[in-house]
């Protein structure tokens, strides 16, 4: 526990030093408030109104309110109790939003109506209260009392809808993928990385009524989703942005348009990472930084994937021979990363020596979340300013806006069944706050066991980012340390993660475009399903739209309570089909089996061949499509770029769409041309199709030409019945048609 205690003690010491000097946002407080200031006050009647373009000003005695439409579907509401507006976040979090929308206002007697093309904010006059409506008049939210403040906090009080559900607040350990309704959640640093803690908090929440609220502050927040809903920020100012959308995805998208889209990681960032101290390691004896290469050899020799290594992750560790270490890791198909124990002053030289990953543990200990956010942005920028690579950082405490620059990691934890249980809802829930890449160490950094390691790695293979942390548990945490049969099971899932990189990378590109991350709670994809918000769906999640993952979190080979929403779901391993909505009990899950289901309509792009690195791909490597036909039409668009550089930001990428149509005559697969270009793009490649039909076709046609039986096959014993077709190498810029006719 030395590492955790050291960090906690350091954090507590710094917070103790800062407390007498700073308020919640780290700003100096000149004097102790008098008794009048400490009393709670509520805004009174409107005493003045004026407007200037998209900005509207209201007075209520000494207090001033300001309403700004920053986009047609986004409005900002501020209240300054003393009449003077401030903004401690400055330009740190909210990005420029372009020209403001057209606005208008009307005096309706009892209220002012302030409108954009999409929204109308009603400002009731006596007393001043706000209510937000869509342009069609439908209500999004309404205050039941005016904004309230005291010396050190402001509170908004909203009516709660009869069936309204709430999500968000960032990474909420043990919670988040099911509704916060009836619960209170905290937003702010607490240095609790266990169940109930809230590392990587975000002052944003989302309502099923079709809106989201971002409190523009560095101060801690408390959201109580009772009746009424009360949301508190610990500062004497009110500043909130409201975004509206018809679906939860739209709300998350508009929030991330405001605060920044998630970054697109490099391909190696979606492979497993390995972290340890290789110089002056107190737990493992004297070693040298070059000894990291011996561990990397362990991955190579055992045919285990490895994307990157942190070679100095430990207090007092240091490093040496960076350039030589980097060359050695590159020869083993891994990138080099470093922990920023000493801050970012040496980052430029480190990046020039080969560093491509920055882990920012120390950058969250400081004067509030601004320090942490600046560390994330500075490390990200430092990698990009000194190389052609993409910025790639990890941090255990962050804030709104950190999705632009890093992976949010849940901190130092102990491997156990309980650890697995509460982490399942944590990461999927964080997606509701625009955090696209959230994760924890495989089997923690303390404790652990052979079984918990296997079970934890299984489901984390379906997260975008994951790593192991060594040197703190009784034995190291590489995936071969417990021997057989555990090594083989771990290899199976790491190889599956590698094979699914085209699928996951396509969703990472979607996150960068839309703000919606790859790992999703059922409530995000099925907002109309009443069970999606409840405990029935708490211990499962979606990886992309099509994989439903239900981890085993007890020492058992049977998994109960797997909720499958609407649709046809196929067991990935056996091919057994289930019609949702349904709950599966008694699912047989021996140690090598993760309960995993695929939704009908899935067209899954994959890299076949059991590769251990994206660098194993060659100009002639095949692309596989694993297809689960559904009635009607479904499609998936594969995204590709060079996987490492930033050239995709200037248009160097390609997309290719597979469309599947199922009719009474059979199944038709239309693979469109790959549109776009990038460095290293395949000019031609073979395609491998596995189509889960459950029955043999009468004929198979490729581009209208019937294939002889030897060029395709049907295996009734393969996962319920699968048709296999492999094409010769074909130009990627030409379409392909495959028909499986009855």
């Amino acid at each position: 526990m030395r590492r955790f205690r050291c960090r906690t003690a350091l954090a507590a010491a710094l917070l103790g030093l800062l407390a007498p000097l700073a308020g919640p946002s780290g700003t100096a407080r000149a004097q102790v408030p008098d008794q009048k200031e400490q009393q709670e006050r509520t805004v009174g009647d409107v005493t003045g109104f004026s407007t200037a373009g998209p900005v509207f000003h209201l007075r209520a005695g000494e207090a001033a309110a300001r309403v700004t439409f920053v986009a047609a579907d986004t409005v900002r509401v501020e209240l300054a109790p003393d009449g003077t507006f401030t903004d401690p976040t400055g330009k740190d979090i909210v990005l420029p939003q372009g020209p403001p929308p057209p606005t208008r206002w009307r005096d309706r007697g009892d209220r002012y109506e302030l409108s954009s093309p999409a929204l109308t904010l009603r400002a009731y006059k006596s007393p001043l209260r706000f209510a937000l409506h869509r342009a069609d008049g439908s209500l999004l939210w309404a205050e039941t009392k005016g904004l309230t403040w005291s010396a050190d906090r402001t509170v908004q009080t909203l009516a709660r809808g009869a069936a309204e559900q709430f999500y968000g607040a960032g990474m909420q350990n043990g919670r988040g993928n099911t509704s916060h309704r009836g619960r209170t959640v905290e937003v702010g640093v607490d240095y609790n990385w266990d169940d109930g803690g809230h590392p990587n908090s975000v002052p944003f929440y989302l309502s099923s009524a079709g809106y989201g609220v971002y409190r523009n502050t560095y101060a801690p927040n408390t959201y109580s989703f009772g009746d009424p809903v009360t949301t508190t920020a610990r500062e004497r100012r009110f500043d909130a942005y409201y975004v509206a959308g018809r679906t939860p995805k739209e709300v998350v998208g508009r929030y991330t348009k405001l605060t920044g889209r998630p970054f697109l990681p490099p391909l190696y960032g979606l492979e497993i990472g390995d972290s340890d101290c290789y110089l002056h390691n107190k737990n493992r004896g004297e070693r040298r930084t070059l000894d990291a290469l011996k561990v990397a050899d362990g991955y190579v020799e055992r045919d285990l994937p490895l994307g990157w290594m942190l070679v100095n992750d430990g207090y007092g560790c240091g490093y040496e021979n960076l350039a030589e270490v980097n060359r050695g890791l590159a020869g083993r198909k891994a990138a080099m990363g470093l922990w920023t124990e000493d801050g970012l002053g040496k980052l430029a030289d480190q990046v020039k020596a080969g560093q491509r990953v920055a882990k920012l543990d120390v950058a969250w200990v400081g004067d509030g979340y601004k320090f942490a956010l600046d560390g994330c942005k500075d490390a990200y920028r430092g990698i990009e300013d000194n190389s052609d690579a993409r910025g790639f950082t990890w941090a255990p405490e962050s804030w709104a806006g950190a999705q632009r620059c890093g992976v949010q990691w849940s901190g130092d934890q102990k491997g156990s069944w309980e650890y697995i249980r509460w982490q399942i809802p944590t990461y999927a829930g964080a997606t509701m706050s625009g955090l696209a890449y959230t994760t924890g160490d495989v089997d923690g950094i303390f404790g652990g066991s052979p079984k918990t390691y296997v079970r934890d790695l299984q489901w984390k293979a379906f997260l975008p980012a994951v790593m192991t942390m060594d040197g703190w548990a009784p034995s190291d945490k590489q995936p071969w340390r417990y021997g057989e049969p555990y090594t083989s099971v771990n290899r199976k899932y790491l190889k599956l993660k590698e094979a699914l990189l085209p699928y996951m990378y396509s969703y990472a590109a979607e996150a960068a475009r839309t703000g919606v991350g790859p790992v999703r709670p059922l409530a995000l994809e099925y907002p109309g399903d009443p069970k999606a918000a409840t405990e029935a769906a708490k211990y499962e999640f979606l990886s992309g739209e099509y994989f439903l993952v239900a981890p085993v979190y007890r020492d058992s080979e049977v998994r109960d309570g797997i909720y499958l929403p609407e649709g046809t779901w196929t067991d990935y391993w056996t091919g057994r089909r289930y019609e949702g909505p349904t709950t599966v009990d008694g699912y047989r899950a021996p140690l090598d089996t993760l309960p995993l289901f695929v939704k009908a309509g899935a067209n899954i792009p994959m890299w076949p061949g059991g590769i251990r690195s994206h660098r194993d791909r060659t100009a002639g490597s095949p692309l596989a499509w694993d297809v689960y036909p559904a009635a009607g039409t479904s499609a998936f668009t594969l995204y590709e770029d060079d996987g490492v550089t930033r050239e995709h930001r200037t248009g160097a990428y390609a997309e290719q769409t597979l469309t599947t149509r199922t009719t009474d005559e059979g199944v038709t697969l239309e693979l469109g041309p790959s549109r776009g270009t990038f460095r290293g793009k395949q000019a031609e490649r073979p395609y491998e199709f596995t189509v889960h039909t459950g029955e043999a076709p009468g004929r198979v046609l490729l581009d209208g030409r019937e294939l002889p039986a030897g060029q395709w096959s049907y295996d009734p014993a393969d996962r319920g019945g699968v048709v296999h077709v492999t094409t010769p190498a074909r130009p990627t810029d030409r379409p392909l048609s495959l028909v499986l006719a009855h």
Side-chain angles (χ1 to χ4, degrees):
M1 296 292 288
R2 184 178 304 161
R3 189 179 192 220
F4 177 84
R5 289 173 180 164
C6 182
R7 291 177 176 177
T8 304
L10 179 57
L14 282 169
L15 289 173
L17 289 171
L18 292 167
L21 304 175
S25 59
T27 55
R29 182 171 296 163
Q31 60 186 14
V32 177
D34 61 27
Q35 187 174 1
K36 181 179 178 181
E37 288 178 317
Q38 291 174 350
Q39 294 174 349
E40 182 179 282
R41 300 176 63 186
T42 301
V43 67
D45 295 348
V46 173
T47 57
F49 174 79
S50 63
T51 179
V55 183
F56 302 90
H57 296 268
L58 299 104
R59 298 290 304 194
E62 293 181 2
R66 183 165 62 188
V67 175
T68 308
F69 285 94
V70 298
D73 46 41
T74 304
V75 61
R76 182 185 188 184
V77 178
E78 299 170 86
L79 179 78
D82 62 358
T84 301
F85 294 103
T86 60
D87 184 359
T89 67
K91 298 180 180 179
D92 293 349
I93 300 173
V94 174
L95 302 179
Q97 298 296 296
T103 57
R104 67 181 190 278
W105 67 276
R106 292 192 178 104
D107 188 339
R108 296 290 194 181
D110 68 330
R111 66 186 185 270
Y112 294 103
E113 291 188 350
L114 319 175
S115 300
S116 72
L119 299 175
T120 293
L121 184 71
R122 296 182 181 181
Y124 291 92
K125 298 179 181 178
S126 184
L128 175 58
R129 290 177 295 108
F130 294 107
L132 187 63
H133 295 251
R134 298 188 195 275
D136 62 9
S138 58
L139 177 67
L140 290 169
W141 56 260
E143 293 180 337
T144 60
K145 63 183 292 188
L147 292 169
T148 301
W149 68 89
S150 60
D152 62 352
R153 64 195 60 217
T154 53
V155 182
Q156 185 176 46
T157 305
L158 303 179
R160 189 180 73 178
E164 191 173 4
Q165 308 296 332
F166 303 91
Y167 306 89
M171 187 184 287
Q172 295 286 325
N173 286 353
R175 299 159 291 166
N177 71 338
T178 54
S179 177
H180 294 315
R181 181 182 173 94
R183 299 181 172 92
T184 296
V185 297
E186 299 292 339
V187 176
V189 63
D190 66 349
Y191 302 103
N192 176 6
W193 295 333
D194 296 320
D195 191 7
H198 38 90
N200 296 296
S201 291
V202 176
F204 168 82
Y205 73 88
L206 178 156
S207 164
S208 63
Y211 69 92
V213 186
Y214 161 62
R215 292 291 281 263
N216 185 42
T217 179
Y218 282 126
N221 285 228
T222 300
Y223 304 147
S224 181
F225 297 109
D227 189 8
V229 173
T230 59
T231 58
T232 303
R234 294 182 185 87
E235 61 180 359
R236 198 170 183 262
R237 58 184 290 275
F238 180 87
D239 188 352
Y241 288 80
Y242 301 88
V243 296
R246 294 290 179 181
T247 66
K249 287 183 180 179
E250 283 189 1
V251 174
V252 172
R254 286 168 184 164
Y255 162 71
T256 55
K257 183 177 185 295
L258 188 70
T259 62
R261 303 293 196 205
F263 76 113
L264 179 60
L267 274 171
Y268 53 79
L270 301 183
E271 298 171 319
I272 192 169
D274 187 287
S275 178
D276 200 357
C277 169
Y278 291 98
L279 186 65
H280 312 313
N281 188 321
K282 296 178 181 178
N283 296 324
R284 294 292 183 263
E286 185 63 26
R287 295 192 295 187
R288 316 303 296 185
T289 308
L290 283 167
D291 288 335
L293 302 183
K294 300 175 185 177
V295 174
D297 285 338
Y299 284 90
V300 175
E301 292 162 2
R302 293 166 178 84
D303 192 26
L304 290 162
L306 175 66
W308 50 278
M309 290 188 75
L310 296 172
V311 298
N312 70 329
D313 198 356
Y315 280 98
C317 184
Y319 57 77
E320 59 190 4
N321 305 116
L322 275 193
E324 188 177 354
V325 172
N326 178 62
R327 287 191 296 271
L329 288 177
R332 293 155 175 86
K333 302 178 181 177
M336 184 179 71
L338 293 171
W339 177 44
T340 57
E341 179 187 5
D342 298 324
L344 302 176
K346 303 175 184 177
L347 184 64
D349 289 340
Q350 291 169 172
V351 172
K352 291 172 184 176
Q355 179 185 2
R356 293 297 180 266
V357 184
K359 185 158 166 278
L360 303 169
D361 293 35
V362 171
W364 51 258
V365 180
D367 189 0
Y369 277 117
K370 175 175 171 54
F371 191 91
L373 185 58
D374 286 348
C376 179
K377 292 188 289 189
D378 290 347
Y380 182 90
R381 190 180 305 115
I383 292 173
E384 298 201 344
D385 286 349
N386 294 282
S387 72
D388 66 351
R390 302 172 197 176
F392 187 57
T393 75
W394 283 56
E397 292 287 355
S398 62
W399 199 243
Q403 70 273 5
R404 307 195 299 250
C405 52
V407 172
Q408 281 71 51
W409 160 72
S410 57
D412 296 346
Q413 291 145 349
K414 182 178 180 180
S416 66
W417 296 108
E418 181 67 3
Y419 165 82
I420 295 173
R421 181 196 64 78
W422 66 254
Q423 282 202 337
I424 299 164
T426 301
Y427 305 133
T431 302
M432 296 297 237
S433 299
L435 301 180
Y437 308 104
T438 55
T439 191
D441 299 317
V442 176
D443 207 30
I445 73 168
F446 309 113
S449 69
K451 285 186 178 180
T452 56
Y453 191 103
V454 166
R455 288 300 196 190
D456 201 38
L457 186 147
Q458 284 175 352
W459 72 274
K460 284 178 176 169
F462 286 84
L463 302 179
V466 68
M467 74 170 176
T468 68
M469 176 66 211
D470 305 294
W472 300 96
S475 62
D476 280 345
K477 293 276 187 152
Q478 282 89 15
W480 68 83
R481 295 297 185 184
Y482 289 117
E484 294 296 345
Y486 311 107
T487 301
S488 292
V489 179
N490 294 334
R491 181 185 301 109
K492 169 183 173 179
Y493 285 93
L494 289 175
K495 286 292 191 77
L496 179 57
K497 179 176 178 62
E498 204 72 29
L500 288 170
L501 273 179
Y503 175 81
M504 185 62 76
Y505 196 57
S506 296
Y507 275 105
E510 180 180 307
R513 186 173 62 252
T514 70
V516 179
V519 176
R520 303 173 178 186
L522 270 62
L524 185 65
E525 290 291 342
Y526 301 91
D529 187 329
K531 286 193 174 183
T534 71
E535 298 288 308
K538 185 171 185 177
Y539 298 113
E540 59 193 60
F541 63 91
L542 296 162
S543 188
E545 297 170 64
Y546 296 105
F547 283 105
L548 188 147
V549 184
V552 176
Y553 56 91
R554 296 188 178 98
D555 188 3
S556 174
E557 295 192 350
V558 176
R559 177 64 154 85
D560 293 323
I562 302 172
Y563 179 67
L564 303 177
E566 181 181 5
T568 300
W569 297 88
T570 298
D571 185 319
Y572 187 75
W573 312 110
T574 69
R576 179 177 175 180
R577 296 183 183 181
Y578 301 84
E579 290 299 325
T582 189
T583 299
V584 178
D585 290 321
Y587 183 94
R588 295 294 303 169
L591 189 61
D592 68 344
T593 301
L594 168 73
L596 181 64
F597 303 85
V598 188
K599 188 177 182 180
N603 299 327
I604 309 293
M606 301 180 70
W607 287 337
I611 60 175
R612 58 168 298 273
S613 169
H614 72 278
R615 302 187 193 190
D616 290 336
R617 298 280 296 172
T618 68
S621 293
L623 178 70
W625 288 92
D626 195 24
V627 178
Y628 296 76
T633 301
S634 62
F636 187 90
T637 299
L638 168 71
Y639 172 90
E640 299 176 284
D641 60 28
D642 66 30
V644 178
T645 76
R646 305 187 296 275
E647 293 180 5
H648 65 287
R649 297 178 190 170
T650 55
Y653 64 88
E655 294 181 316
Q656 187 175 29
T657 300
L658 177 65
T659 302
T660 301
R661 297 182 179 87
T662 303
T663 66
D664 292 341
E665 286 73 40
V667 179
T668 299
L669 281 60
E670 298 285 352
L671 183 63
S674 176
R675 302 187 185 279
T677 188
F678 58 89
R679 181 171 45 180
K681 179 183 177 181
Q682 291 177 282
E684 61 177 25
R685 60 187 170 203
Y687 293 97
E688 298 179 8
F689 295 93
T690 54
V691 188
H692 297 253
T693 59
E695 60 181 0
R699 297 183 302 153
V700 175
L701 297 90
L702 180 62
D703 291 335
R705 180 179 64 86
E706 185 169 346
L707 296 179
Q711 294 184 22
W712 66 272
S713 64
Y714 173 74
D715 186 349
D718 184 2
R719 294 164 289 170
V722 177
V723 177
H724 296 264
V725 181
T726 301
T727 76
R730 299 174 57 93
T732 54
D733 62 355
R734 297 181 188 175
L736 174 155
S737 174
L738 182 66
V739 177
L740 311 181
H742 293 317

